[in-house]
Amino acid sequence: MTKMTYSLRIRNPIDRFARLSGAVAAIAALTLPFVAGCEDEDPVVVETDNPPFPPDGVFSVTGDNVVTIYWNENQESDLDGYVVYRGTTDPGPYFFLARVSANQTFYDDFDVNNGETWFYAVTAIDRAGHESELSRETVFDTPRPEGFGLVLVELGQDPTRAGYDFSSKSNNPQSAALSTTDIYFDVQAGVQYVVCADAGVDIQDYGLIDLIAVDWAPESGWAPSKQAEAIKGHSYIVRILDGLGDSNMAKFEVRDVTATTLTLDWAYQEDKNNPELAPGVGGAAR
């Protein structure tokens, strides 16, 4: 008598492997006694087409009225695409947002408003229509306004253009009084400074780092002097207190500084007490 051979092909061995192999072993044990009298049977191939692995490396990049979701490419040979989901809480529920092709590993979500927080997850789908489980990373994002090429004029040159109020989301400050601004540009003894315009505003120099790398506001490290020297290429964090125990965070990078002008790229988080500040890819400082 020829002994029957069972061949099992598993494509996705996460947890399902143990459950499936156990089930196959049980089926084989029940089936073999009934075929004991069969001669010269060809090997039986048991093929299980499981869903793809969930995408990994999922993360988001915050923008101005946009959130971009990224993930690593799946390695299945029969991959057909990815599905992006989002929800308002974690671990869900998550709702369908978009489907993209197998060669795309990002998605721009423009259906968002600044100050709103969304949670995201991604799945993979093969050509047979099998869909993976949701990606395992907890990914959330709160889009916020940003601006590029903001020019402040030194206080002694033009007080009406020296200051800037982040909540106005304008690249053209026209404040006639520094009390209505968050920061202003001033030159003291030949040194250029960014100065907090109000007692409820704090600032710190975050160092020689691109604005795109400043993704989270710190809880401490604020300058006791309420000012920081304006150094080209440095990024800065600003905390704006509302007097009621809440605060908004902002950041900027010094793109250029002279004796009379200061040029900034900036971002401002409208969602109170939210430290997320990562800039969008499209127009971000490099």
Side-chain angles (χ1 to χ4, degrees):
M1 182 183 73
T2 302
K3 186 179 293 185
M4 295 184 68
T5 302
Y6 288 82
S7 173
L8 179 66
R9 293 201 287 271
I10 302 287
R11 228 185 24 204
N12 185 6
I14 343 184
D15 326 306
R16 303 186 182 94
F17 182 85
R19 295 197 297 270
L20 192 53
S21 59
V24 170
I27 293 170
L30 291 172
T31 306
L32 284 174
F34 294 99
V35 297
C38 299
E39 296 289 339
D40 300 322
E41 295 285 347
D42 292 329
V44 176
V45 176
V46 181
E47 181 171 354
T48 302
D49 190 10
N50 277 340
F53 283 98
D56 61 10
V58 183
F59 69 96
S60 66
V61 173
T62 313
D64 188 352
N65 285 308
V66 60
V67 175
T68 302
I69 310 302
Y70 294 90
W71 58 90
N72 293 332
E73 182 181 2
N74 272 47
Q75 299 304 309
E76 288 86 0
S77 60
D78 63 342
L79 188 69
D80 191 56
Y82 303 94
V83 178
V84 181
Y85 293 87
R86 75 176 188 183
T88 56
T89 61
D90 183 71
Y94 285 87
F95 302 95
F96 175 87
L97 180 60
R99 178 166 176 169
V100 300
S101 64
N103 59 5
Q104 181 172 329
T105 55
F106 72 92
Y107 179 75
D108 293 317
D109 182 9
F110 289 101
D111 187 23
V112 294
N113 296 315
N114 288 336
E116 295 178 352
T117 300
W118 293 95
F119 290 79
Y120 294 88
V122 184
T123 63
I125 296 181
D126 64 19
R127 288 193 289 268
H130 301 115
E131 185 172 10
S132 75
E133 297 173 353
L134 292 173
S135 52
R136 292 175 170 81
E137 295 87 351
T138 299
V139 178
F140 62 94
D141 213 295
T142 310
R144 77 291 171 277
E146 61 188 15
F148 305 93
L150 166 67
V151 177
L152 302 182
V153 178
E154 195 272 329
L155 180 65
Q157 301 289 321
D158 187 352
T160 66
R161 299 188 62 207
Y164 188 66
D165 179 14
F166 288 105
S167 63
S168 69
K169 301 179 290 296
S170 169
N171 285 358
N172 184 26
Q174 296 292 337
S175 175
L178 291 179
S179 61
T180 62
T181 69
D182 298 320
I183 59 172
Y184 65 90
F185 176 45
D186 189 23
V187 176
Q188 306 169 17
V191 181
Q192 296 97 330
Y193 289 96
V194 179
V195 184
C196 298
D198 185 87
V201 179
D202 292 299
I203 191 171
Q204 66 175 279
D205 185 342
Y206 218 56
L208 188 61
I209 180 173
D210 288 347
L211 197 66
I212 196 171
V214 183
D215 60 352
W216 209 255
E219 296 181 358
S220 59
W222 310 108
S225 63
K226 297 280 186 174
Q227 63 183 22
E229 183 178 354
I231 304 173
K232 184 176 180 178
H234 279 222
S235 289
Y236 301 77
I237 304 289
V238 178
R239 179 177 66 180
I240 304 150
L241 303 172
D242 66 0
L244 301 174
D246 295 317
S247 63
N248 293 88
M249 296 296 184
K251 67 175 179 178
F252 63 87
E253 180 183 347
V254 175
R255 302 312 307 270
D256 192 32
V257 58
T258 70
T260 57
T261 61
L262 175 67
T263 305
L264 311 174
D265 289 347
W266 61 272
Y268 172 72
Q269 181 51 263
E270 293 180 315
D271 190 24
K272 287 188 180 298
N273 305 313
N274 188 333
E276 189 172 24
L277 287 167
V281 171
R286 290 290 188 262

